[in-house]
Amino acid sequence: MTAIRIDGKVVAQRRREQCRVEASRVAQSIGRAPALAVVLVGDDPASHVYVRNKHRACAEAGVDTHDVRLPDSCSSRELRAAVERINEDDTIDGLLVQLPVPDAIDPAEVRGWIDPSKDVDGLHPENVGLLASGTPRFVPCTPAGCLELLREYDIPTAGREAVVIGRSLIVGRPMATLLSTKGVDATVTMGHSRSGNLKEICQRADILVVAAGQAEMVEPDWVKPGAAVIDVGIHRIADASRPRGSRLVGDVAPAVGEVAGHLTPVPGGVGPMTIAMLLQNTVEAAGRKA
Ligand code: GUN
């Protein structure tokens, strides 16, 4: 690979250490550790791994966690009651409902139940609006982490062409918003599954953020030589040559590393940053009570 490998593990570890120092300062001022509740509905194996990693990172940073588990058969009403109990608990600063939720539950409704002042995912309509207005309260963790990686590697954004592939509320849309805000100042195009000419759209990017949800979709000839490529995807695919019989891949084919100027690996790129930014949002939520 000729591209500079953007090491999300190293950047995230530094940020987690800063969160640990800040969490201890906030704890002194509010008389308890910052606290995060994580609600997990059902038994999606990947979600269980992500939630375990979140709890572990919180413990290391001195952030308390509340682990709320509900069965796959849980009704909307039961989930809403669990969220409202956490909303009303003054000893909990941050709340997230791990996505995806089972099909019977509408994620748009769930976003609206969360107290916006505890919404560390930044998905409540009020927080989406605040970010769009340029006065964010909580920036969604994955796009916040992607922007941190660009900053840490001194990748210029002002006046550059940025392309975001994917239009989800949790990654694509807030990523496009962040890249176009004052101070970041990129010229942003958002592509998606219905764009039709994704390859051509990607080819014009100086900064390419891919959150398409399709394994190894972006090939080397989709990428402008020297571009910074941020791969948000993570997929487990079968590989008989590996001890587990599978391996993790992103939305970007590894050979893109021969063309790009910078590239995030999968795993070890964006994923660790999501957790670091979750810690940051939680400590900030607690700090606002000081
Ligand atoms: N599922 C995958 N990523 C995320 C995330 O950042 N937040 C939540 N709530 N669920 C997720």
Side-chain angles (χ1 to χ4, degrees), residues 41 70-81 104-105 113:
V41 187
L70 295 167
D72 203 47
S73 59
C74 161
S75 67
S76 269
R77 196 192 306 178
E78 286 164 315
L79 176 56
R80 182 172 187 163
I105 298 173
W113 298 334

Side-chain angles (χ1 to χ4, degrees), residues 132-147:
S133 317
T135 54
R137 182 194 276 135
F138 293 112
V139 178
C141 304
T142 299
C146 293
L147 196 61

